[in-house]
RNA sequence: GUCUCCGUAGCUCAGUGGAUAGAGCGUUUGGUUGCGGACCAAAAGGCCGUAGGUUCGAAUCCUACCGGGGACGCCA
């Protein structure tokens, strides 16, 4: 990638200048390459000379002069200049820029893919309790995780997408009880409804079940009936979660069962390991994970009734990810309400003898839902919550994804349902998609006129708006790298808007289909085709459609 | 009380130590007898919460304080 090349050129130039005695000896620091905000400063810039002033004991401008004198000539750079107070500005060659259109056309839907790493990474996201439909809050989790997975794949990683199904524990037990009550009620029995999971979906499920199997579960042992209810409810909910996820373009490679960690012996293995290392203790009838740090809290892993806690599962799960399945990197996407759990999981990873740097936990701030400014409670237990499906049916999956992706994970967001539906037509995603559709329209026009891009000479692309568009297209690779580095997929939404904006400005300035000038027509058709590819690839990374018409 | 995230234009938000702090929406004004006006251009709008510190340079890093969200369970 360009910034890396430029950085390398600078390092070589500094070394050369040092060898020639033009600069004193010092260790060369990491060289920051940035894109200047002001276009008059060129395409890339580095403040490296400013930082070197103290080591070289020279004025930054002088250092910069000495560096640029030793930068070797390369085809993609037109000129390198020094600007006060010591910036080195790099301007790309316009001929080289124009030539990149051919590169983009050749790469096609692979444009934007970079070979950053081929490591095996897992992204685990959503992983909401399987006790009800996908909520809007989980929607944010879904979009963050899914987009990040897309970008990691584009960066060369071997990506696996996983949903961790919490099919063990109190919550699913309660759901089983609730379904049992709904089932009994559907049969006219007055079984007291446990004050848990009052969602409509369990009422419906109970009715369907009653119609399917009759009253047989009223006559079996209650424990057996509950076990069946639990399993039945889980299967039903998981199936509907898959549908909800698919509705927003999210699909997983694997739905990983928490229960399986107990069934296949993983939990037993890590428990023995911790036990042998004297990492656990018994108190008040429960088993706790010791802490070597006085300030750190101890955590229960087995309750006094013998049932393991979710933390016990998490220990086994991280072992499963890193040791058994051998992921080089495991990314978790969690709501900020789980932040207290981060330290524990990192710690126990280390205790298990794994590298805690191999796990990365992305926390996103919770979404507050309001309707006409009034907060809407979000509780699966009371059945009082807004589902992702409801909102998607109102505004569409693309607008839904864009809305939740635009803000950084750190930023807490308020989503007003009334406002979101009212303003959905001005969602920026349509601006980006409009660019794509407009290009499709240009090609329809070109076909009418009998014009094609065959034989187009991209060297004819010299208009400032043409070159600006190419510059924006080339930013896709850098954006992919930035998203991986910062784990901030929201950057894509801003890039997409910049790219679309550059296209629309080009469209204003340059006519593409001009029958009296077939040469420029062909060259510009190549350009807009490359822009179409870039827009489509960007939209695809964000999990959104690229329409031909809208 | 401890931990954590946030505070940037009227609103919603970008901005991983660099040059004159940006975008969208909203407001005002203008634009194409030609490829889609879901577009383009211009203007107005800012003690970057407050106060110190670190340094050549701070919206960005550190400390304290103010204001808002979240977490501190044998729930997940």
């Amino acid at each position: 990638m360009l910034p890396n090349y430029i950085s390398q050129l600078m390092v070589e130039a500094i070394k050369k200048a040092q060898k020639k005695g033009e600069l004193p000896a010092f260790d060369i620091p990491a060289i920051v390459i940035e894109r200047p905000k002001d276009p008059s400063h060129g395409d890339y810039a580095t403040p490296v000379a400013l930082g070197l002033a103290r080591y070289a004991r020279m004025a930054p401008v002088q250092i910069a002069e000495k560096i640029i004198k030793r930068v070797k000539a390369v085809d993609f750079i037109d000129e390198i200049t020094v600007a006060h107070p010591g910036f080195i500005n790099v301007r790309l060659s316009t001929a080289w820029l124009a030539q990149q259109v051919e590169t983009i056309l050749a790469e096609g839907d692979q444009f934007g893919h970079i070979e950053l790493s081929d490591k095996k990474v897992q992204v685990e996201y959503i992983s909401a309790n399987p006790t009800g439909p996908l909520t809007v809050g989980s929607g944010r989790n879904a979009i963050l995780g899914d987009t990040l997975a897309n970008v990691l794949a584009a960066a060369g990683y071997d990506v696996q997408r996983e949903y961790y199904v919490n099919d063990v524990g109190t919550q699913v037990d309660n759901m089983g009880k609730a379904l049992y009550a709904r089932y009994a009620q559907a049969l006219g029995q007055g079984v007291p409804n446990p004050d848990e999971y009052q969602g409509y979906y369990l009422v419906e499920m109970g009715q369907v079940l009653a119609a399917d199997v009759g009253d047989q579960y009223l006559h079996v042992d209650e424990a057996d009936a509950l076990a069946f209810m639990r399993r039945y409810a889980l299967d039903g909910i998981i199936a509907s979660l898959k549908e909800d996820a698919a509705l927003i373009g999210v699909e997983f490679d694997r739905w990983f069962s928490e229960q399986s960690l107990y069934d296949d012996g993983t939990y037993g293995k890590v428990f023995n390991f911790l036990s042998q290392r004297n990492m656990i203790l018994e108190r008040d009838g429960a088993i706790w994970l010791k802490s070597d740090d006085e300030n750190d809290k101890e955590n229960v892993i087995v309750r006094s009734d013998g049932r393991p806690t979710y933390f016990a599962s998490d220990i086994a799960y991280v072992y499963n990810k890193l040791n058994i399945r051998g992921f080089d990197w495991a990314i978790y996407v969690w709501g900020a309400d789980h932040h207290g759990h981060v330290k524990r999981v990192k710690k126990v990873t280390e205790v298990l003898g794994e590298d805690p740097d191999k796990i990365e936990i992305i926390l996103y701030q919770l979404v507050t839902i309001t309707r006409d400014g009034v907060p809407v409670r979000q509780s699966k237990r009371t059945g009082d919550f807004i589902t992702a499906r409801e909102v998607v049916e109102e505004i569409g999956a693309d607008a839904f994804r864009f809305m939740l992706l635009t803000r950084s994970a750190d930023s807490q967001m308020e989503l007003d349902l009334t406002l979101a539906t009212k303003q959905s037509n001005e969602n920026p995603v349509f601006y980006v998609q409009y660019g794509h559709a407009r290009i499709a329209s240009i090609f329809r026009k070109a076909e009418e006129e009998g014009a094609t891009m065959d034989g187009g000479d991209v060297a004819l692309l010299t208009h400032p708006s043409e070159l600006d568009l190419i510059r924006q297209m080339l930013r896709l690779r850098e954006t992919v790298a930035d998203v991986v580095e910062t784990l901030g997929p929201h950057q894509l939404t801003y890039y997409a808007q910049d790219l679309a904006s550059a296209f629309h400005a080009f469209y204003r300035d340059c006519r593409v289909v001009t029958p009296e000038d077939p040469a420029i027509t062909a060259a510009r058709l190549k350009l807009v085709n490359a822009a179409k590819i870039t827009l489509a690839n960007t939209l695809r990374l964000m999990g959104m459609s690229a329409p031909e018409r809208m």
Side-chain angles (χ1 to χ4, degrees), chain A residues 62-75:
Chain A
Q62 273 185 292
I63 299 170
E65 296 283 3
K66 301 218 184 278
I67 295 173
I68 69 169
K69 215 174 83 187
R70 295 295 172 196
V71 175
K72 76 173 180 201
V74 288
D75 63 342

Side-chain angles (χ1 to χ4, degrees), chain A residues 241-316:
Chain A
L241 280 170
K242 283 186 187 176
E243 286 175 21
D244 288 354
L247 200 64
I248 51 174
V250 173
E251 277 183 41
F252 291 93
D253 296 312
R254 182 161 178 188
W255 292 67
F256 187 94
S257 158
E258 177 180 359
Q259 180 64 46
S260 74
L261 293 165
Y262 296 90
D263 297 343
D264 72 5
T266 305
Y267 167 73
K269 193 171 166 186
V270 296
F271 185 88
N272 288 337
F273 181 91
L274 294 173
S275 178
Q276 281 159 15
R277 300 289 161 110
N278 198 28
M279 288 301 299
I280 58 179
L281 61 88
E282 203 172 333
R283 190 202 310 145
D284 305 331
I287 296 172
W288 304 65
L289 182 70
K290 277 190 194 171
S291 169
D292 46 3
D293 181 351
E294 297 271 330
N295 303 323
D296 216 23
K297 260 180 26 167
E298 285 164 340
N299 297 286
V300 171
I301 53 177
V302 184
R303 299 178 180 91
S304 46
D305 66 5
R307 294 153 59 227
T309 63
Y310 76 99
F311 183 49
S313 302
D314 279 350
I315 298 170

Side-chain angles (χ1 to χ4, degrees), chain A residues 129 131-132 169-183 185 191-203 226 233 379-385:
Chain A
N129 259 342
T131 53
T170 315
Q171 302 304 320
V172 284
D173 287 349
N174 287 341
M175 179 172 67
K177 286 179 196 162
L179 177 62
Y180 189 44
R182 296 306 185 187
Y183 162 78
Q185 279 167 357
V191 175
N193 182 33
D195 188 26
E196 297 289 347
Y197 293 104
Q198 303 180 5
Y200 62 92
Y201 48 93
L202 286 178
V203 176
L226 284 176
S379 162
K380 278 190 194 169
R381 196 184 57 73
T382 62
D384 181 16
F385 59 88

Side-chain angles (χ1 to χ4, degrees), chain A residues 35-48:
Chain A
R35 285 183 170 270
K37 279 169 284 195
D38 184 342
S40 73
H41 293 143
D43 293 299
Y44 294 96
T46 175
V48 63

Side-chain angles (χ1 to χ4, degrees), chain A residues 5-16:
Chain A
Y5 278 127
I6 294 168
S7 169
Q8 195 51 42
L9 286 175
M10 295 298 159
V11 170
E12 286 168 10
I14 293 169
K15 279 185 183 160
K16 207 162 167 186

Side-chain angles (χ1 to χ4, degrees), chain A residues 140-141 144 148 331-343 360-366 407-412 486-487 489:
Chain A
R140 185 175 197 185
N141 189 316
L144 280 171
L148 188 60
I331 298 175
Y332 295 75
V333 183
W334 285 353
D337 53 337
H338 289 65
H339 98 265
H341 191 48
V342 172
K343 213 168 140 187
E360 186 80 48
I361 294 157
I362 297 175
L363 293 178
Y364 63 94
Q365 300 298 313
L366 299 183
R407 293 164 182 84
S408 91
D410 277 341
S411 149
Q412 52 197 73
T486 60
L487 299 178

Side-chain angles (χ1 to χ4, degrees), chain A residues 340-414:
Chain A
H341 191 48
V342 172
K343 213 168 140 187
R344 302 204 269 282
V345 173
K346 284 257 186 192
K347 185 73 144 274
V348 80
T349 304
E350 205 173 345
V351 170
L352 289 172
E354 299 293 335
D355 179 1
D357 288 338
K358 283 188 176 178
I359 70 173
E360 186 80 48
I361 294 157
I362 297 175
L363 293 178
Y364 63 94
Q365 300 298 313
L366 299 183
V367 183
T368 340
I369 314 284
T370 59
R371 182 173 267 147
D372 296 322
V374 183
V376 181
R377 206 169 270 288
Q378 295 293 300
S379 162
K380 278 190 194 169
R381 196 184 57 73
T382 62
D384 181 16
F385 59 88
I386 308 295
T387 64
R389 180 183 290 263
E390 289 172 70
V391 181
V392 170
E393 281 170 356
E394 282 284 343
I395 70 175
D398 291 338
F400 182 78
R401 285 188 74 119
F402 203 94
M403 181 178 67
L404 291 170
L405 189 61
T406 313
R407 293 164 182 84
S408 91
D410 277 341
S411 149
Q412 52 197 73
M413 58 184 290
E414 186 181 299

